[in-house]
Amino acid sequence: MSDTISDYYAALDRLKQRKAKINNDTVALAAGRKKGSIKKSRPQFIALIQAIEEAQKEVVRPEVVIADRLEQARGNAKDIQRRLDASLARELALVREVFRLRKELAVLRGGNVVPFHSPTQAAGVEQ
């Protein structure tokens, strides 16, 4: 029976190196045995089952890493969207202010107010 147990441990080591999914069934299949051959009710497998559980904790599964990266990307997208909305709101406020000032300037120019300089002199062009 110890030869069988050593086959299971060798299969567990191979799965760890490949960073594959590790559970009782995958270890059994990798050892060339049937799925479900590692049972908790069999006392000879207690240490093996504990080693499999430890290996599950050690192996970083790509699904977990991808899920973490996806969640981070979603958070970044939300932050970028929030910043974009804030900048658009500022721009809209500035456009409204420019529009209001242009209307006020048109009223002032249309009335009895005469500008001190002609528009070309204000732009720095000499006549």
Side-chain angles (χ1 to χ4, degrees):
M1 191 59 140
S2 65
D3 190 34
T4 305
I5 297 293
S6 64
D7 288 344
Y8 285 121
Y9 278 106
L12 178 62
D13 289 337
R14 287 192 304 272
L15 290 173
K16 278 189 204 177
Q17 289 174 357
R18 290 189 315 189
K19 296 185 186 218
K21 184 177 179 183
I22 297 177
N23 59 37
N24 293 353
D25 291 335
T26 58
V27 172
L29 292 172
R33 305 294 193 278
K34 290 185 177 180
K35 184 177 176 181
S37 64
I38 301 174
K39 297 189 184 280
K40 292 181 181 180
S41 61
R42 297 180 183 162
Q44 66 266 26
F45 291 130
I46 291 175
L48 177 63
I49 291 172
Q50 289 175 347
I52 290 171
E53 289 172 356
E54 289 298 318
Q56 284 174 339
K57 293 175 185 172
E58 292 174 9
V59 173
V60 177
R61 293 192 324 223
E63 301 89 28
V64 174
V65 172
I66 290 171
D68 290 343
R69 289 178 55 200
L70 178 62
E71 188 61 35
Q72 183 180 10
R74 284 183 180 153
N76 289 344
K78 286 180 183 177
D79 182 51
I80 290 170
Q81 184 65 46
R82 182 188 53 79
R83 291 174 26 200
L84 176 65
D85 291 342
S87 66
L88 289 174
R90 282 190 307 270
E91 181 143 348
L92 181 61
L94 290 172
V95 167
R96 286 182 178 163
E97 180 68 14
V98 167
F99 181 72
R100 185 189 65 78
L101 290 173
R102 283 185 179 170
K103 278 177 47 177
E104 184 179 328
L105 183 61
V107 168
L108 291 175
R109 284 191 176 161
N112 293 332
V113 177
V114 178
F116 292 118
H117 303 290
S118 69
T120 56
Q121 286 178 342
V125 178
E126 299 261 341
Q127 289 183 346

